[in-house]
Amino acid sequence: PKTYLPGRIPPRSWIVVGEPSTSRTILTDPLTKKPEELCGYFSNITGGSPTMGTVNGARGHAKRKAVMPAFSSKHVKRMAEVALNKTEAWIKLMVEQTTEDEPSFDFNVSEEMVGIVLSALSETAFEYEMSEQEKEKFGKDLKVALIEFVRKDPAIPFRGLLGWFLPERRRAVAAAKSLKAFAMKIMREYRANHHANNGNIIQLIME
């Protein structure tokens, strides 16, 4: 079925594919191109720099295929083990912080779990141990950038052109620059230490 996106002259047609085998064929075809607008929204999160997720066509397909070995069962299992160890360490820390006078205290479970997963992912995929301050800043920057560039940009025409008049837009641009700077820091750390771990994603990207 075809649907039309309102507010465009002429209207742009959208084709929705519901059959899994057809969707897989389209997505795995090296010549398949994502909508330029969609890629642009996500590219803004990294300051306009192209990524494996936003590069289009045969070039993007080749880059994504090159890093597929990093998602093998071996690496997924290692990440799960690291996440489990960090969870156990976090539980131990929580127990140590309780006392007879204060047998319980409040904390945000979702935030703690996201932090553990982020730590495990960073350590196993990128050979980088994030500090608590880095995790907190990364989470805040990513949230600000996603809300501005992925939620608001598609819904509000000309927001990108007039954004410099909006404080929240300027904060999102600053957050995107911060995310890009953090990615560059991880790459510098890898080059300096070069602790390759048999085909993890940072090795495949950098080498």
Side-chain angles (χ1 to χ4, degrees):
K2 289 187 177 182
T3 57
Y4 292 93
L5 188 64
R8 293 188 176 277
I9 304 176
R12 176 175 296 179
S13 63
W14 294 76
I15 299 175
V16 179
V17 179
E19 187 179 19
S21 60
T22 304
S23 299
R24 180 178 177 82
T25 301
I26 293 171
L27 293 172
T28 56
D29 186 341
L31 298 180
T32 294
K33 290 189 176 182
K34 306 182 195 70
E36 295 292 338
E37 291 176 343
L38 178 64
C39 295
Y41 296 140
F42 282 93
S43 291
N44 286 335
I45 297 174
T46 54
S49 300
T51 67
M52 284 186 294
T54 59
V55 173
N56 248 325
R59 181 187 173 204
H61 180 81
K63 288 183 176 295
R64 288 186 285 275
K65 186 176 180 180
V67 299
M68 282 302 295
F71 298 92
S72 66
S73 59
K74 177 183 72 173
H75 293 293
V76 173
K77 182 179 179 181
R78 178 170 175 256
M79 187 183 75
E81 290 174 351
V82 172
L84 180 60
N85 292 336
K86 289 185 178 295
T87 302
E88 291 175 347
W90 173 76
I91 293 173
K92 182 179 179 181
L93 178 63
M94 294 295 102
V95 171
E96 290 175 350
Q97 289 182 0
T98 60
T99 62
E100 291 184 2
D101 296 331
E102 240 182 292
S104 63
F105 53 91
D106 296 329
F107 62 90
N108 189 311
V109 177
S110 62
E111 287 182 0
E112 296 293 343
M113 292 301 102
V114 168
I116 289 172
V117 173
L118 187 59
S119 293
L121 180 62
S122 176
E123 185 176 326
T124 56
F126 301 106
E127 299 292 336
Y128 183 85
E129 292 192 25
M130 297 177 71
S131 67
E132 291 299 321
Q133 293 78 12
E134 286 174 329
K135 286 190 289 186
E136 183 178 359
K137 181 168 176 53
F138 178 85
K140 288 180 179 179
D141 287 342
L142 184 60
K143 182 178 180 179
V144 169
L146 283 171
I147 290 174
E148 177 63 32
F149 299 124
V150 181
R151 181 192 296 177
K152 293 184 178 180
D153 260 6
I156 307 174
F158 307 113
R159 185 175 178 86
L161 297 176
L162 304 176
W164 286 108
F165 296 101
L166 305 172
E168 56 188 8
R169 179 76 177 195
R170 294 196 295 271
R171 285 195 293 270
V173 171
K177 291 180 179 178
S178 177
L179 290 170
K180 183 176 180 180
F182 183 58
M184 298 298 292
K185 179 182 179 181
I186 291 176
M187 289 191 287
R188 287 194 301 271
E189 289 283 333
Y190 177 81
R191 289 193 183 102
N193 300 315
H194 197 64
H195 296 311
N197 193 6
N198 300 322
N200 60 1
I201 195 167
I202 187 68
Q203 182 184 11
L204 295 175
I205 291 173
M206 299 294 290
E207 300 179 11

